[in-house]
Amino acid sequence: MDMQELLRKDSTHLFQNYGRQDLVFTHGEAEFLYGADGREYIDLVAGIAVNSLGHSHPAMTAAICDQASRLVHVSNLYRIKEQADLAEALAAISPAGLDKALFVNSGAEANEAALKLAVRNTGRSKVIAVDNSFHGRTAAALKATAQPKYQEGFGCLMGDFARYVELNDIESLKAAFDQDTAAMMIEPIQGEGGVRPCTMEFFRTARDLCDDHGALLICDEVQTGVGRTGKWFGCDHYGVEPDVMCLAKGLGGGFPIGCIMSTEELSRTLAPGTHGTTFGGSPLASAVALSVINTISSEGLVPAAMDKGGKLMEGIRGMIAEDMEVRGMGLMIGIGMGDKAKALQEHCLNNGILVNVCAGDVIRLVPPLVVGSKSLQCFLDTLGSFMEDI
Ligand SMILES: Cc1ncc(COP(=O)(O)O)c(C=O)c1O
């Protein structure tokens, strides 16, 4: 493959809205990606917590081929069997009461739907979000994303509905609620914000305050959901049952799909005509997501994520310097590296390992749930050699 030619086309004809690395992949298998440069890479990024089954998992490939050979898309004007099957499977693993699904195509869209549901249901106009959150880049999700760098220049598109509170600051949380609070939107572990888990007290207090004020708790599980953290959903670690849960990323294992789960009663808020999307829950997307959930279940990947992630975190903790920090749950791990994050990313790449830097100074590890222990050991060895050199 001619890299110069690719770079020419890319820079001439693609929006330059991503900070891309000059790496091109031709194919993948499990946690391995194969580059056009002929190298093998251990993928600890997984499309940013997306490829839950890794690359080219036979069950997912079979689901794609089988469904595509029969029916790819029909409108939501009709009943869709694959969508109903997926909804039933999701209801079975979701926190109690979240029995109803509405399918969309991305995380931002899921959050947008949840926000629309909340304001329409409560008739109120304020939503509480957490500093450094990330909920997506569509207008309402962007307003709930409490990071000025993402909002800059888009003010006129966003309503003035959000109130921001500091992560894990109970006093700031209590002060934000009032009688006009429709909802609180929260990530159990902030992902883009630097892999920062809520404390037990913060998350549970948010639940209590929502109950006290008649507001809805919307749990953004776009990054934490579908087994990544060692439980099906991040909120399961906290014993917190949200009113609405938002999913995307790992749900489709790489095939675009998102969804909100809510109670039966809340689902009635979005009566026919109030919300929808052409592609949401297509037969193909639904069949693929169902194969992902079934495979995660049958291969025991949820407890495996807990086990592998726990060992990995322990290994990392034993190696990093005193002014560094490791955080996370299951296979969603962040290493606060200070000004060494980019250098570690580079060192990993030189050793054939892909890792991601988020929030400027955090190395984020969100590998496929199928990642092997040999690959994780390889990362630890590479971290070890990096720490020796600095
Ligand atoms: C917690 C969370 N919510 C929402 C989103 C937005 O998802 P998408 O990029 O699919 O719109 C992301 C993406 O990183 C996310 O991590």
Side-chain angles (χ1 to χ4, degrees):
M1 202 213 53
D2 184 344
M3 189 68 171
Q4 289 315 314
E5 183 58 3
L6 167 58
L7 291 178
R8 183 193 66 75
K9 282 187 195 166
D10 182 303
S11 61
T12 311
H13 295 297
L14 286 174
F15 275 42
Q16 298 296 304
N17 59 316
Y18 298 108
R20 300 181 197 266
Q21 290 177 275
D22 290 337
L23 284 169
V24 187
F25 305 106
T26 54
H27 60 290
E29 194 181 340
E31 76 269 37
F32 301 102
L33 275 172
Y34 298 90
D37 55 7
R39 293 180 68 194
E40 178 184 88
Y41 296 87
I42 296 172
D43 179 13
L44 303 185
V45 179
I48 316 188
V50 167
N51 303 96
S52 27
L53 299 183
H55 303 280
S56 313
H57 192 292
M60 202 178 144
T61 307
I64 293 171
C65 295
D66 180 51
Q67 186 60 44
S69 71
R70 285 182 290 115
L71 189 64
V72 170
H73 173 83
V74 288
S75 167
N76 279 306
L77 290 170
Y78 308 105
R79 305 280 173 199
I80 298 176
K81 178 185 181 301
E82 295 79 8
Q83 202 180 105
D85 289 344
L86 175 60
E88 185 181 56
L90 279 169
I93 55 174
S94 292
L98 303 188
D99 293 331
K100 288 272 197 169
L102 166 66
F103 292 103
V104 293
N105 310 289
S106 69
E109 264 187 79
N111 287 333
E112 205 80 17
L115 291 167
K116 283 177 77 174
L117 185 154
V119 293
R120 193 176 170 93
N121 178 267
T122 58
R124 300 177 183 180
S125 64
K126 277 190 201 163
V127 174
I128 298 171
V130 182
D131 284 341
N132 264 322
S133 56
F134 188 88
H135 297 298
R137 298 173 188 263
T138 53
L142 184 59
K143 185 68 185 182
T145 292
Q147 298 199 55
K149 69 177 178 190
Y150 294 118
Q151 297 181 344
E152 206 183 312
F154 303 119
C156 64
L157 297 177
M158 301 182 295
D160 180 25
F161 65 83
R163 302 288 174 270
Y164 304 134
V165 300
E166 209 176 304
L167 178 67
N168 296 333
D169 181 332
I170 305 290
E171 290 318 308
S172 138
L173 186 61
K174 283 182 180 161
F177 276 82
D178 64 25
Q179 288 317 306
D180 198 25
T181 305
M184 172 155 187
M185 182 169 261
I186 187 167
E187 298 160 87
I189 306 173
Q190 289 189 338
E192 302 303 304
V195 192
R196 296 178 192 281
C198 289
T199 58
M200 192 68 86
E201 188 189 8
F202 186 74
F203 206 172
R204 289 187 175 176
T205 305
R207 174 70 278 179
D208 292 345
L209 287 167
C210 283
D211 288 342
D212 294 348
H213 290 82
L216 304 182
L217 184 68
I218 301 171
C219 192
D220 179 348
E221 296 265 3
V222 168
Q223 195 159 148
T224 47
V226 202
R228 168 133 315 269
T229 66
K231 295 204 183 266
W232 274 112
F233 303 102
C235 59
D236 295 340
H237 290 277
Y238 295 84
V240 167
E241 289 166 2
D243 300 296
V244 184
M245 185 169 79
C246 305
L247 306 175
K249 286 190 180 280
L251 175 59
F255 200 93
I257 185 168
C259 101
I260 62 171
M261 301 294 301
S262 87
T263 59
E264 151 78 31
E265 192 191 340
L266 285 174
S267 75
R268 281 188 242 124
T269 311
L270 297 181
T274 55
H275 192 62
T277 160
T278 299
F279 294 119
S282 74
L284 183 54
S286 300
V288 175
L290 183 59
S291 80
V292 170
I293 290 178
N294 286 343
T295 307
I296 290 177
S297 238
S298 64
E299 295 191 3
L301 295 178
V302 181
M306 181 85 101
D307 183 50
K308 290 184 236 185
K311 287 180 183 141
L312 181 58
M313 265 178 76
E314 224 176 279
I316 294 168
R317 194 169 285 122
M319 270 178 196
I320 54 177
E322 261 178 21
D323 60 349
M324 297 174 181
E325 188 189 19
V326 60
R327 305 181 285 265
M329 292 177 197
L331 286 173
M332 180 170 175
I333 296 174
I335 317 173
M337 296 290 298
D339 60 3
K340 304 283 190 298
K342 282 271 174 209
L344 176 55
Q345 184 186 37
E346 189 74 27
H347 182 71
C348 286
L349 185 59
N350 291 337
N351 286 276
I353 303 175
L354 304 174
V355 299
N356 167 249
V357 176
C358 65
D361 59 0
V362 177
I363 288 284
R364 173 170 45 180
L365 307 173
V366 279
L369 306 185
V370 296
V371 67
S373 49
K374 217 170 128 193
S375 294
L376 296 179
Q377 186 56 49
C378 191
F379 170 76
L380 287 174
D381 294 344
T382 305
L383 175 63
S385 63
F386 179 79
M387 294 306 300
E388 268 171 29
D389 286 353
I390 60 170

